[in-house]
Amino acid sequence: MDIDLITQVLFAAIKTGTPLLFIALGEAICEKTGVLNLGQEGMMLMGAVVGFMAAYATGNAGMGIIGAMLIGMLMSLIFGFLVLHLGANQVATGLALTIFGTGLSAFIGASVVGHTITGFQPLNIPLLSEIPVLGKVLFSHDPLVYLAIVLAILIGFVANKTRVGLTIKAVGENPHAANAIGIKVLKVRYLAVMFGGAMAGLGGAYMSLVYTPMWVENMTAGRGWIALALVVFASWRIGNIVLGAYLFGLASIMHLVLQGMGWSISPNLLAMLPYVATIVVMVIIGADKYKEKLLAPRSLGKPFDPRQMA
Amino acid sequence: MIRVQARTEPSTLMTFASPFLAIVLTLIFGSVLFSALGKDPIQALHVLLVLPLSDAYNISEMLVKMGPLLLCAVGLSLCYRANMWNIGAEGQLLAGALGGSAMALQFVDSDSALAMPLTLFAGILSGMAWAAIPTYLKTKFNSNLILTTIMLNYIALYLLIWAVHGPLRDPAGFGFPESALFSDATLLPVLFDSGRVHLGVVLAVLLALVAWFLLSKSHLGFKIRVYGADEPAATYAGFNAKAISWFVMLFAGALAGLAGVAEVAGPIGQLTPNISPGYGYSAIIVAYLGRLHPAGAIIAATFLAILYMGGDLAQIEMGIPIAVVGMFQGVLLFFLLACDFFIRYRIVPSRENMA
């Protein structure tokens, strides 16, 4: 493998990992408060289509980002209402959100299939982008790649070093105790669910505004699900999520690498790689029962009903 | 004014009424949506719900769609009752279609009486094998079943696409990604002179009845219900959790596999890249709408099949995109989950002194 190929592979791995990073960061915060939202794929698809349509209509990719985050939040509110207010099963509601989002995005996106837009241009960071190899791999990306990293640092700081982070942790570990000391459990969970929705929308917008850039039905191809696996893989730690997202990004483009190296395997078989990698990761995490029990937010997936407190 | 009060006992009435209420709410939502789109809502609902039942041909096409939905949903109902979150019916269906096709293509020039049974058998076995992978990973390595089954859906799809572009492609097919047409001896018999209702549809209903009997009358069914309702109690009673997990998953895999092979050896007659419009995912909704009960699944699968059929007709007659069906399914499940709130709670007038 020559250095040019390695440079391109690492560059593409970061790009491919970026939407996963957005979604996983949002879902990690959501899960830290004890809410498991399996609707990531649906919110992501809605973010992708609405982001694309907003950018197409206004000619401004920035508007696309805003639209995508708003629709992600709106979608997450449906989930939040059912799960938090009505105490519906989180797994079933998340699945419903994904099925709904998949259908609705195909429905409203039918009119813009085949259109193209100008997405974000690469932002070469002065001086740093001129470093050989590293400059190309790290410092000549589109602005959203940097945004993802900045957000990761911010979220990591808030989750680990601030009062907000402690509140989130308290609600996720023991909602009854949190309620007893005056924390509004449902409010915290609502905010976390909406944050997750906005981030999933952003991840979707990355797909349709930067990665491809266009809208195709079902274009996220299971990335929302892979991001869910990524959160568990990272043991709900923000630093691990960043690392894991780029690793998954690398796994997702391995088929291009293998083809580039002259392997003559069917592209359809190679396209299975990210999904196989996800299963392998699930096996590795699950095998260590002690670890998962210790690290998962203790109230994850369990409803909290203030009505039963009275 | 009113307030919400927890019921002391879950309401049996609401358990049965909730799916119907959810359907009515979904139809109201649909009417509003169609009006907003400038389509006549009455005409749209007529096309979606009445037209599919209006003549023998449409009814037979509806039944052809009901078969795979029902097969997948019955299996999922058992899985969900046993707390096995199997989202993999789609992958198991595709695996069944792929395995069945591989067998069927051995009989392309044959009129052997074994062709059809062996093809069905291969499909069922393939579905079971595909379901066995996540079950093994779950029971042995404690892997998250939801995520492994979803990933296996994608893997099955790529495997199928690879097969129709590669080993199973018709050598005389001008390079199209399709297998050779199956021989008549391989195809499932068609029941009525008009339409395409085949043996698979009958098998689906029969198997739903078998599952009903199994669940409500057999000791195994009792264990599944106890295990799902109260896992610690089941463990205390000495029920073998792994055995229950294996049983429901292999049962679901077999039924989904049968659904897949019955599609390729039934209405389609060959292996193509698009054999399922997401039956395995819709079956999740059928299972919930049918209250995780095989008998309920028969009613729910019929309703969703009408919706599928109506979606096809709405696209032809009114230019409404077919994706509307997928959206309605999501909305239906939302409304169902919301209505289920009233199984555990009721709204009562609040007393004056409480206000």
Side-chain angles (χ1 to χ4, degrees), chain B residues 180-265:
Chain B
L181 289 171
F182 298 168
S183 67
D184 287 344
T186 316
L187 295 180
L188 295 172
V190 173
L191 298 184
F192 308 109
D193 290 338
S194 71
R196 303 192 293 172
V197 178
H198 53 84
L199 183 64
V201 180
V202 180
L203 285 178
V205 177
L206 280 178
L207 283 165
L209 297 176
V210 168
W212 181 0
F213 177 79
L214 188 94
L215 194 62
S216 54
K217 295 278 180 271
S218 75
H219 185 55
L220 184 64
F222 174 71
K223 283 203 272 196
I224 293 173
R225 283 183 286 141
V226 173
Y227 185 72
D230 192 345
E231 202 171 317
T235 317
Y236 186 71
F239 295 171
N240 185 343
K242 282 189 182 173
I244 295 172
S245 303
W246 272 105
F247 174 78
V248 292
M249 286 297 288
L250 289 181
F251 187 76
L255 262 57
L258 175 60
V261 69
E263 283 298 290
V264 289

Side-chain angles (χ1 to χ4, degrees), chain B residues 50-63 309 313:
Chain B
V50 182
L51 219 50
L53 302 173
S54 60
D55 61 41
Y57 173 79
N58 282 349
I59 291 176
S60 82
E61 283 299 290
M62 185 277 288
L63 289 173
M309 185 69 200
L313 295 170

Side-chain angles (χ1 to χ4, degrees), chain B residues 72-82 286-288 290-294 297:
Chain B
C72 294
V74 167
L76 293 184
S77 298
L78 261 58
C79 287
Y80 296 165
R81 276 182 179 256
V286 173
Y288 271 104
R291 308 274 72 165
L292 305 186
H293 192 289

Side-chain angles (χ1 to χ4, degrees), chain A residues 36 38 41 78-79 81-82 85-89 91-93 95-97 99-100 102-104 106-107 110 217 221-223 225-226 228-229 232 266-269 271-272 274-276 278-279 282-289 292 305 307-308, chain B residues 4-6 29 33-34 37 80 85 87 133 137 139-144 146-148 150-152 154-156 158-162 165 281-282 284-285 288 320-324 326-331 333-335 337-339 341 344-345:
Chain A
L36 175 70
L38 296 182
E41 184 81 1
I78 306 176
F79 172 86
F81 176 72
L82 286 167
H85 253 94
L86 302 186
N89 180 313
V91 172
T93 314
L95 284 171
L97 191 63
I99 294 170
F100 176 67
T102 309
L104 184 59
F107 183 66
E217 221 175 278
R223 283 180 174 81
W225 294 106
I226 292 178
L228 279 158
V232 188
S266 153
N268 289 319
L269 288 182
M272 295 176 192
Y275 310 109
V276 175
T278 307
I279 292 181
M282 295 318 296
V283 170
I284 296 170
I285 312 164
D288 194 349
K289 274 186 187 172
E292 200 186 335
D305 186 354
R307 277 176 293 257
Q308 282 172 352
Chain B
V4 173
Q5 185 188 54
F29 169 86
L33 179 84
F34 288 129
L37 290 171
Y80 296 165
W85 295 103
I87 318 294
I133 301 170
L137 298 180
T139 52
K140 178 85 180 169
F141 300 108
N142 191 33
S143 308
N144 183 313
I146 298 172
L147 292 172
T148 48
I150 291 255
M151 293 301 132
L152 282 163
Y154 287 100
I155 295 172
Y158 281 112
L159 203 60
L160 185 138
I161 294 174
W162 166 75
H165 281 90
Y281 294 110
S282 303
I284 298 169
I285 296 178
Y288 271 104
I320 295 171
I322 189 83
V324 81
M327 186 187 58
F328 275 176
Q329 290 178 18
V331 173
L333 190 47
F334 281 145
F335 279 127
L337 291 164
C339 292
F341 176 76
R344 289 168 293 123
Y345 294 93

